[in-house]
Amino acid sequence: MPSQVLPHQAFLSEHRAAVREFISAVRQLDSGAWLRPVGPRKWSPALITAHVTLSIEAFTDETAGRAHMATVMNAWKRFVARTVFLRRLLRTGIFPVGFHAPRETRPSSTPSPQAEAIAALGEAVTALESTLAVHPDPVHCRITHPYFGRLPLITGLQLLTLHARHHQGQLPRRAGGLPR
């Protein structure tokens, strides 16, 4: 009997592709660019990579029931964020300006070596996929997003994909180049 294809699997594939593209861009950076902030008061590619990894790990922990990300806004503000910003974000892929990374996804100030960070990011994607492969009810699974509140799994996967692409756009084009 063939295994059932669940609706979230296409979104997982899209996420994997986005992370693969992110990793490809990160691999092109030399060690100087890896550690250099991409702008004033901005993270370096090393810290951006750690942030993307931490975001996937937080999502994985959420789907596995190990931990929940804390909401950072009251119910009314989350409603407005879902109604206005989330819809626009899913439609355009453009993240609103002025939102800070949730506590759970802020990288340490000590960056990992490039190869180690890339490996950790790949392992985070594999762990997410493995967690969802054994999830008892992925169709009805909901995750807690710090700004948007409780969301369906598919919406969370869409956000993770857009998140990886958003941060890939912040990476330098090449070793000494400017952000995309």
Side-chain angles (χ1 to χ4, degrees):
M1 177 179 194
S3 64
Q4 180 183 3
V5 176
L6 296 170
H8 70 274
Q9 289 175 325
F11 293 97
L12 270 176
S13 295
E14 186 69 19
H15 178 251
R16 180 172 274 287
V19 172
R20 207 173 20 245
E21 292 164 12
F22 180 93
I23 288 172
S24 177
V26 166
R27 280 194 172 121
Q28 295 176 26
L29 302 175
D30 65 23
S31 59
W34 173 249
L35 297 172
R36 186 179 312 114
V38 296
R41 301 182 63 177
K42 300 288 184 186
W43 288 335
S44 65
L47 297 180
I48 292 170
T49 303
H51 167 68
V52 171
T53 302
L54 289 167
S55 298
I56 296 167
E57 290 172 346
F59 189 96
T60 302
D61 287 344
E62 177 82 23
T63 58
R66 290 190 291 265
H68 296 287
M69 291 184 70
T71 55
V72 295
M73 296 189 293
N74 65 35
W76 171 247
K77 288 181 180 178
R78 285 193 311 271
F79 171 78
V80 171
R82 261 193 319 276
T83 305
V84 177
F85 296 111
L86 178 61
R87 287 181 184 172
R88 186 180 322 153
L89 173 58
L90 293 173
R91 189 177 69 251
T92 66
I94 298 171
F95 278 70
V97 176
F99 283 85
H100 298 285
R103 178 181 42 82
E104 299 90 343
T105 67
R106 289 184 199 140
S108 111
S109 58
T110 307
S112 296
Q114 192 171 3
E116 186 179 309
I118 290 169
L121 180 53
E123 290 166 11
V125 171
T126 300
L128 172 62
E129 293 173 352
S130 298
T131 298
L132 288 175
V134 298
H135 194 283
D137 191 9
V139 173
H140 296 102
C141 178
R142 297 180 72 78
I143 58 107
T144 302
H145 187 278
Y147 295 110
F148 303 126
R150 299 291 287 165
L151 300 173
L153 173 69
I154 288 175
T155 304
L157 288 171
Q158 288 174 295
L159 284 173
L160 277 180
T161 300
L162 292 171
H163 186 250
R165 290 189 173 131
H166 165 73
H167 285 298
Q168 181 185 346
Q170 295 175 331
L171 298 173
R173 288 190 185 111
R174 62 186 80 74
L178 301 171
R180 296 175 196 270

